[in-house]
Amino acid sequence: MGLTVPPSSDHPSPPPHRSTMTPPLQSIVVALLALAGVASAEKGGGFVVTGKVYCDPCRAGFETNVSTSVPGATVKVECRPFSGGKETLKAEATTDAFGWYKVEVDQDHQEEICEVVLAKSSDPACSEIEKFRDRACVPLTRNNGIKQEGIRYGNAIAFFRKEPLKDCGFVLQQYDLKDAPETP
C-alpha cells in the first residue's frame, strides 16, 4: 500500500515542470529522432534512396554555378529484372525545398536493376527530360560489397531548359572545357 500525504500549507506543491532544453538542444533531439527513423528502416532490411534534382540551364550535363535546385519535382524509383520484363518496384517521391528526394524501399532487389528516374518538373521553364540523362542507377541490395548500411545515394539528375541561357558560353569557359589536343 502506498502512503499519500495530503497537501498542506507546511508542504508547498512543486512548481510546474518546465523544459530545461534550449531551442538548439531541442533541434538536435528532433534531428536525432528523425535519424532513428531512418535507422529503423535500415534495420528492417529496407533502404533509403536519396539524391538531388537540379535544373541545367546550360545543358552542360553537370551542375554549374548557374544550376538551381528543383523543389517540388517528382521522381520515381523503378526496379526490373536484369533480363528485362515487368517492373517489380515503382515508388514515387517529391523533392524538398532544396531539390532533395527521399524514398523508402522495404526490400532487397539483388537480382534487379533499380533506377531513380525523373518524372515531372515543377518548373515549366526547366522541364525538358533528355533520354538516358534522366536517370541514376541505385544498387538496392546488401550483397554487393557496399558497406553503407541502408542508405543509397543516386547521382544528381537534371531537367533541362529548352534554350540555354545567353551567358552559358561564358559560364562553360570558366570550367576550361576544351577539345582534347590532336596527337602530334
PDB file of all heavy atoms in Angstrom, residues 47-75:
ATOM      1  N   PHE A  47      15.786   0.046 -47.549  1.00  0.00           N
ATOM      2  CA  PHE A  47      16.763   1.042 -47.971  1.00  0.00           C
ATOM      3  C   PHE A  47      16.104   2.408 -48.006  1.00  0.00           C
ATOM      4  O   PHE A  47      14.898   2.526 -48.177  1.00  0.00           O
ATOM      5  CB  PHE A  47      17.280   0.729 -49.379  1.00  0.00           C
ATOM      6  CG  PHE A  47      17.945  -0.606 -49.484  1.00  0.00           C
ATOM      7  CD1 PHE A  47      17.227  -1.727 -49.848  1.00  0.00           C
ATOM      8  CD2 PHE A  47      19.293  -0.740 -49.199  1.00  0.00           C
ATOM      9  CE1 PHE A  47      17.831  -2.967 -49.932  1.00  0.00           C
ATOM     10  CE2 PHE A  47      19.900  -1.975 -49.277  1.00  0.00           C
ATOM     11  CZ  PHE A  47      19.173  -3.091 -49.652  1.00  0.00           C
ATOM     12  N   VAL A  48      16.924   3.429 -47.886  1.00  0.00           N
ATOM     13  CA  VAL A  48      16.501   4.802 -48.103  1.00  0.00           C
ATOM     14  C   VAL A  48      17.298   5.291 -49.304  1.00  0.00           C
ATOM     15  O   VAL A  48      18.528   5.306 -49.273  1.00  0.00           O
ATOM     16  CB  VAL A  48      16.768   5.689 -46.869  1.00  0.00           C
ATOM     17  CG1 VAL A  48      16.415   7.135 -47.177  1.00  0.00           C
ATOM     18  CG2 VAL A  48      15.982   5.183 -45.671  1.00  0.00           C
ATOM     19  N   VAL A  49      16.593   5.658 -50.367  1.00  0.00           N
ATOM     20  CA  VAL A  49      17.227   6.168 -51.585  1.00  0.00           C
ATOM     21  C   VAL A  49      17.094   7.679 -51.553  1.00  0.00           C
ATOM     22  O   VAL A  49      15.994   8.208 -51.371  1.00  0.00           O
ATOM     23  CB  VAL A  49      16.544   5.601 -52.844  1.00  0.00           C
ATOM     24  CG1 VAL A  49      17.204   6.158 -54.099  1.00  0.00           C
ATOM     25  CG2 VAL A  49      16.586   4.087 -52.840  1.00  0.00           C
ATOM     26  N   THR A  50      18.217   8.375 -51.716  1.00  0.00           N
ATOM     27  CA  THR A  50      18.190   9.830 -51.682  1.00  0.00           C
ATOM     28  C   THR A  50      19.083  10.401 -52.769  1.00  0.00           C
ATOM     29  O   THR A  50      20.020   9.741 -53.223  1.00  0.00           O
ATOM     30  CB  THR A  50      18.595  10.362 -50.282  1.00  0.00           C
ATOM     31  OG1 THR A  50      18.390  11.770 -50.242  1.00  0.00           O
ATOM     32  CG2 THR A  50      20.042  10.048 -49.958  1.00  0.00           C
ATOM     33  N   GLY A  51      18.792  11.612 -53.186  1.00  0.00           N
ATOM     34  CA  GLY A  51      19.579  12.278 -54.222  1.00  0.00           C
ATOM     35  C   GLY A  51      19.008  13.651 -54.505  1.00  0.00           C
ATOM     36  O   GLY A  51      18.061  14.091 -53.856  1.00  0.00           O
ATOM     37  N   LYS A  52      19.590  14.308 -55.504  1.00  0.00           N
ATOM     38  CA  LYS A  52      19.242  15.690 -55.807  1.00  0.00           C
ATOM     39  C   LYS A  52      18.763  15.832 -57.241  1.00  0.00           C
ATOM     40  O   LYS A  52      19.263  15.167 -58.143  1.00  0.00           O
ATOM     41  CB  LYS A  52      20.462  16.581 -55.595  1.00  0.00           C
ATOM     42  CG  LYS A  52      20.192  18.049 -55.780  1.00  0.00           C
ATOM     43  CD  LYS A  52      21.416  18.873 -55.503  1.00  0.00           C
ATOM     44  CE  LYS A  52      21.098  20.345 -55.680  1.00  0.00           C
ATOM     45  NZ  LYS A  52      22.272  21.165 -55.517  1.00  0.00           N
ATOM     46  N   VAL A  53      17.801  16.733 -57.440  1.00  0.00           N
ATOM     47  CA  VAL A  53      17.313  17.085 -58.770  1.00  0.00           C
ATOM     48  C   VAL A  53      17.614  18.566 -58.978  1.00  0.00           C
ATOM     49  O   VAL A  53      17.333  19.385 -58.114  1.00  0.00           O
ATOM     50  CB  VAL A  53      15.798  16.821 -58.901  1.00  0.00           C
ATOM     51  CG1 VAL A  53      15.287  17.289 -60.257  1.00  0.00           C
ATOM     52  CG2 VAL A  53      15.493  15.347 -58.684  1.00  0.00           C
ATOM     53  N   TYR A  54      18.210  18.882 -60.136  1.00  0.00           N
ATOM     54  CA  TYR A  54      18.554  20.270 -60.414  1.00  0.00           C
ATOM     55  C   TYR A  54      18.159  20.652 -61.832  1.00  0.00           C
ATOM     56  O   TYR A  54      17.862  19.801 -62.669  1.00  0.00           O
ATOM     57  CB  TYR A  54      20.047  20.529 -60.178  1.00  0.00           C
ATOM     58  CG  TYR A  54      20.981  19.843 -61.150  1.00  0.00           C
ATOM     59  CD1 TYR A  54      21.498  20.534 -62.241  1.00  0.00           C
ATOM     60  CD2 TYR A  54      21.361  18.521 -60.981  1.00  0.00           C
ATOM     61  CE1 TYR A  54      22.370  19.911 -63.137  1.00  0.00           C
ATOM     62  CE2 TYR A  54      22.227  17.902 -61.855  1.00  0.00           C
ATOM     63  CZ  TYR A  54      22.717  18.597 -62.933  1.00  0.00           C
ATOM     64  OH  TYR A  54      23.568  17.984 -63.811  1.00  0.00           O
ATOM     65  N   CYS A  55      18.159  21.947 -62.096  1.00  0.00           N
ATOM     66  CA  CYS A  55      17.912  22.484 -63.427  1.00  0.00           C
ATOM     67  C   CYS A  55      19.258  22.795 -64.056  1.00  0.00           C
ATOM     68  O   CYS A  55      20.083  23.477 -63.448  1.00  0.00           O
ATOM     69  CB  CYS A  55      17.064  23.754 -63.340  1.00  0.00           C
ATOM     70  SG  CYS A  55      16.842  24.552 -64.950  1.00  0.00           S
ATOM     71  N   ASP A  56      19.483  22.289 -65.263  1.00  0.00           N
ATOM     72  CA  ASP A  56      20.722  22.535 -66.001  1.00  0.00           C
ATOM     73  C   ASP A  56      20.415  23.577 -67.082  1.00  0.00           C
ATOM     74  O   ASP A  56      20.028  23.232 -68.200  1.00  0.00           O
ATOM     75  CB  ASP A  56      21.214  21.229 -66.624  1.00  0.00           C
ATOM     76  CG  ASP A  56      22.562  21.361 -67.311  1.00  0.00           C
ATOM     77  OD1 ASP A  56      23.035  22.502 -67.490  1.00  0.00           O
ATOM     78  OD2 ASP A  56      23.133  20.322 -67.675  1.00  0.00           O
ATOM     79  N   PRO A  57      20.576  24.865 -66.768  1.00  0.00           N
ATOM     80  CA  PRO A  57      20.178  25.905 -67.714  1.00  0.00           C
ATOM     81  C   PRO A  57      21.132  26.050 -68.902  1.00  0.00           C
ATOM     82  O   PRO A  57      20.813  26.714 -69.876  1.00  0.00           O
ATOM     83  CB  PRO A  57      20.181  27.175 -66.865  1.00  0.00           C
ATOM     84  CG  PRO A  57      21.164  26.901 -65.791  1.00  0.00           C
ATOM     85  CD  PRO A  57      21.086  25.422 -65.528  1.00  0.00           C
ATOM     86  N   CYS A  58      22.299  25.418 -68.835  1.00  0.00           N
ATOM     87  CA  CYS A  58      23.260  25.488 -69.941  1.00  0.00           C
ATOM     88  C   CYS A  58      23.336  24.179 -70.725  1.00  0.00           C
ATOM     89  O   CYS A  58      24.128  24.064 -71.653  1.00  0.00           O
ATOM     90  CB  CYS A  58      24.649  25.852 -69.405  1.00  0.00           C
ATOM     91  SG  CYS A  58      24.739  27.538 -68.780  1.00  0.00           S
ATOM     92  N   ARG A  59      22.552  23.182 -70.317  1.00  0.00           N
ATOM     93  CA  ARG A  59      22.559  21.878 -70.971  1.00  0.00           C
ATOM     94  C   ARG A  59      23.967  21.276 -70.981  1.00  0.00           C
ATOM     95  O   ARG A  59      24.385  20.629 -71.929  1.00  0.00           O
ATOM     96  CB  ARG A  59      21.988  21.977 -72.387  1.00  0.00           C
ATOM     97  CG  ARG A  59      20.585  22.562 -72.423  1.00  0.00           C
ATOM     98  CD  ARG A  59      20.003  22.627 -73.811  1.00  0.00           C
ATOM     99  NE  ARG A  59      19.736  21.302 -74.329  1.00  0.00           N
ATOM    100  CZ  ARG A  59      18.596  20.643 -74.167  1.00  0.00           C
ATOM    101  NH1 ARG A  59      17.611  21.192 -73.475  1.00  0.00           N
ATOM    102  NH2 ARG A  59      18.430  19.440 -74.675  1.00  0.00           N
ATOM    103  N   ALA A  60      24.699  21.506 -69.888  1.00  0.00           N
ATOM    104  CA  ALA A  60      26.086  21.050 -69.777  1.00  0.00           C
ATOM    105  C   ALA A  60      26.177  19.569 -69.422  1.00  0.00           C
ATOM    106  O   ALA A  60      27.160  18.917 -69.727  1.00  0.00           O
ATOM    107  CB  ALA A  60      26.824  21.875 -68.724  1.00  0.00           C
ATOM    108  N   GLY A  61      25.180  19.039 -68.746  1.00  0.00           N
ATOM    109  CA  GLY A  61      25.224  17.646 -68.318  1.00  0.00           C
ATOM    110  C   GLY A  61      25.833  17.471 -66.941  1.00  0.00           C
ATOM    111  O   GLY A  61      26.007  16.351 -66.474  1.00  0.00           O
ATOM    112  N   PHE A  62      26.158  18.561 -66.281  1.00  0.00           N
ATOM    113  CA  PHE A  62      26.674  18.546 -64.913  1.00  0.00           C
ATOM    114  C   PHE A  62      26.284  19.866 -64.253  1.00  0.00           C
ATOM    115  O   PHE A  62      25.935  20.830 -64.931  1.00  0.00           O
ATOM    116  CB  PHE A  62      28.200  18.344 -64.880  1.00  0.00           C
ATOM    117  CG  PHE A  62      28.963  19.355 -65.688  1.00  0.00           C
ATOM    118  CD1 PHE A  62      29.374  20.561 -65.140  1.00  0.00           C
ATOM    119  CD2 PHE A  62      29.278  19.089 -67.020  1.00  0.00           C
ATOM    120  CE1 PHE A  62      30.080  21.484 -65.884  1.00  0.00           C
ATOM    121  CE2 PHE A  62      29.998  20.009 -67.776  1.00  0.00           C
ATOM    122  CZ  PHE A  62      30.392  21.207 -67.214  1.00  0.00           C
ATOM    123  N   GLU A  63      26.348  19.895 -62.930  1.00  0.00           N
ATOM    124  CA  GLU A  63      25.993  21.115 -62.209  1.00  0.00           C
ATOM    125  C   GLU A  63      27.034  22.195 -62.427  1.00  0.00           C
ATOM    126  O   GLU A  63      28.233  21.931 -62.388  1.00  0.00           O
ATOM    127  CB  GLU A  63      25.845  20.829 -60.715  1.00  0.00           C
ATOM    128  CG  GLU A  63      24.610  20.020 -60.387  1.00  0.00           C
ATOM    129  CD  GLU A  63      24.418  19.818 -58.913  1.00  0.00           C
ATOM    130  OE1 GLU A  63      23.800  20.687 -58.270  1.00  0.00           O
ATOM    131  OE2 GLU A  63      24.898  18.784 -58.409  1.00  0.00           O
ATOM    132  N   THR A  64      26.572  23.407 -62.677  1.00  0.00           N
ATOM    133  CA  THR A  64      27.448  24.570 -62.830  1.00  0.00           C
ATOM    134  C   THR A  64      27.034  25.609 -61.795  1.00  0.00           C
ATOM    135  O   THR A  64      26.078  25.404 -61.042  1.00  0.00           O
ATOM    136  CB  THR A  64      27.315  25.168 -64.251  1.00  0.00           C
ATOM    137  OG1 THR A  64      25.973  25.653 -64.417  1.00  0.00           O
ATOM    138  CG2 THR A  64      27.658  24.145 -65.323  1.00  0.00           C
ATOM    139  N   ASN A  65      27.719  26.747 -61.821  1.00  0.00           N
ATOM    140  CA  ASN A  65      27.390  27.797 -60.851  1.00  0.00           C
ATOM    141  C   ASN A  65      26.061  28.490 -61.166  1.00  0.00           C
ATOM    142  O   ASN A  65      25.577  29.273 -60.360  1.00  0.00           O
ATOM    143  CB  ASN A  65      28.521  28.808 -60.733  1.00  0.00           C
ATOM    144  CG  ASN A  65      28.847  29.473 -62.048  1.00  0.00           C
ATOM    145  OD1 ASN A  65      28.564  28.940 -63.118  1.00  0.00           O
ATOM    146  ND2 ASN A  65      29.469  30.630 -61.998  1.00  0.00           N
ATOM    147  N   VAL A  66      25.445  28.198 -62.319  1.00  0.00           N
ATOM    148  CA  VAL A  66      24.129  28.764 -62.622  1.00  0.00           C
ATOM    149  C   VAL A  66      23.018  27.714 -62.516  1.00  0.00           C
ATOM    150  O   VAL A  66      21.859  28.011 -62.752  1.00  0.00           O
ATOM    151  CB  VAL A  66      24.097  29.446 -64.019  1.00  0.00           C
ATOM    152  CG1 VAL A  66      24.974  30.683 -64.033  1.00  0.00           C
ATOM    153  CG2 VAL A  66      24.480  28.484 -65.115  1.00  0.00           C
ATOM    154  N   SER A  67      23.370  26.483 -62.151  1.00  0.00           N
ATOM    155  CA  SER A  67      22.362  25.445 -61.925  1.00  0.00           C
ATOM    156  C   SER A  67      21.578  25.771 -60.663  1.00  0.00           C
ATOM    157  O   SER A  67      22.111  26.370 -59.731  1.00  0.00           O
ATOM    158  CB  SER A  67      23.028  24.075 -61.757  1.00  0.00           C
ATOM    159  OG  SER A  67      23.705  23.696 -62.925  1.00  0.00           O
ATOM    160  N   THR A  68      20.318  25.367 -60.654  1.00  0.00           N
ATOM    161  CA  THR A  68      19.478  25.609 -59.487  1.00  0.00           C
ATOM    162  C   THR A  68      18.758  24.316 -59.102  1.00  0.00           C
ATOM    163  O   THR A  68      18.531  23.445 -59.941  1.00  0.00           O
ATOM    164  CB  THR A  68      18.420  26.690 -59.775  1.00  0.00           C
ATOM    165  OG1 THR A  68      17.656  26.308 -60.922  1.00  0.00           O
ATOM    166  CG2 THR A  68      19.066  28.041 -60.024  1.00  0.00           C
ATOM    167  N   SER A  69      18.399  24.208 -57.845  1.00  0.00           N
ATOM    168  CA  SER A  69      17.629  23.063 -57.367  1.00  0.00           C
ATOM    169  C   SER A  69      16.207  23.149 -57.914  1.00  0.00           C
ATOM    170  O   SER A  69      15.731  24.235 -58.227  1.00  0.00           O
ATOM    171  CB  SER A  69      17.574  23.057 -55.849  1.00  0.00           C
ATOM    172  OG  SER A  69      18.871  22.938 -55.331  1.00  0.00           O
ATOM    173  N   VAL A  70      15.533  22.004 -57.994  1.00  0.00           N
ATOM    174  CA  VAL A  70      14.153  21.982 -58.458  1.00  0.00           C
ATOM    175  C   VAL A  70      13.270  21.442 -57.317  1.00  0.00           C
ATOM    176  O   VAL A  70      13.070  20.237 -57.200  1.00  0.00           O
ATOM    177  CB  VAL A  70      13.989  21.119 -59.729  1.00  0.00           C
ATOM    178  CG1 VAL A  70      12.538  21.185 -60.220  1.00  0.00           C
ATOM    179  CG2 VAL A  70      14.928  21.570 -60.821  1.00  0.00           C
ATOM    180  N   PRO A  71      12.772  22.340 -56.474  1.00  0.00           N
ATOM    181  CA  PRO A  71      11.867  21.890 -55.416  1.00  0.00           C
ATOM    182  C   PRO A  71      10.521  21.496 -56.020  1.00  0.00           C
ATOM    183  O   PRO A  71      10.089  22.072 -57.012  1.00  0.00           O
ATOM    184  CB  PRO A  71      11.729  23.115 -54.514  1.00  0.00           C
ATOM    185  CG  PRO A  71      12.101  24.276 -55.361  1.00  0.00           C
ATOM    186  CD  PRO A  71      13.032  23.775 -56.413  1.00  0.00           C
ATOM    187  N   GLY A  72       9.891  20.482 -55.440  1.00  0.00           N
ATOM    188  CA  GLY A  72       8.575  20.060 -55.908  1.00  0.00           C
ATOM    189  C   GLY A  72       8.595  19.173 -57.143  1.00  0.00           C
ATOM    190  O   GLY A  72       7.547  18.860 -57.695  1.00  0.00           O
ATOM    191  N   ALA A  73       9.781  18.743 -57.593  1.00  0.00           N
ATOM    192  CA  ALA A  73       9.870  17.835 -58.738  1.00  0.00           C
ATOM    193  C   ALA A  73       9.481  16.430 -58.288  1.00  0.00           C
ATOM    194  O   ALA A  73       9.618  16.071 -57.119  1.00  0.00           O
ATOM    195  CB  ALA A  73      11.283  17.833 -59.305  1.00  0.00           C
ATOM    196  N   THR A  74       9.023  15.613 -59.227  1.00  0.00           N
ATOM    197  CA  THR A  74       8.644  14.241 -58.927  1.00  0.00           C
ATOM    198  C   THR A  74       9.654  13.289 -59.558  1.00  0.00           C
ATOM    199  O   THR A  74      10.014  13.452 -60.726  1.00  0.00           O
ATOM    200  CB  THR A  74       7.241  13.929 -59.485  1.00  0.00           C
ATOM    201  OG1 THR A  74       6.329  14.899 -58.978  1.00  0.00           O
ATOM    202  CG2 THR A  74       6.779  12.541 -59.086  1.00  0.00           C
ATOM    203  N   VAL A  75      10.104  12.323 -58.762  1.00  0.00           N
ATOM    204  CA  VAL A  75      10.991  11.263 -59.254  1.00  0.00           C
ATOM    205  C   VAL A  75      10.355   9.920 -58.934  1.00  0.00           C
ATOM    206  O   VAL A  75       9.518   9.820 -58.049  1.00  0.00           O
ATOM    207  CB  VAL A  75      12.410  11.331 -58.634  1.00  0.00           C
ATOM    208  CG1 VAL A  75      13.114  12.622 -59.001  1.00  0.00           C
ATOM    209  CG2 VAL A  75      12.365  11.149 -57.136  1.00  0.00           C
TER     210      VAL A  75
END
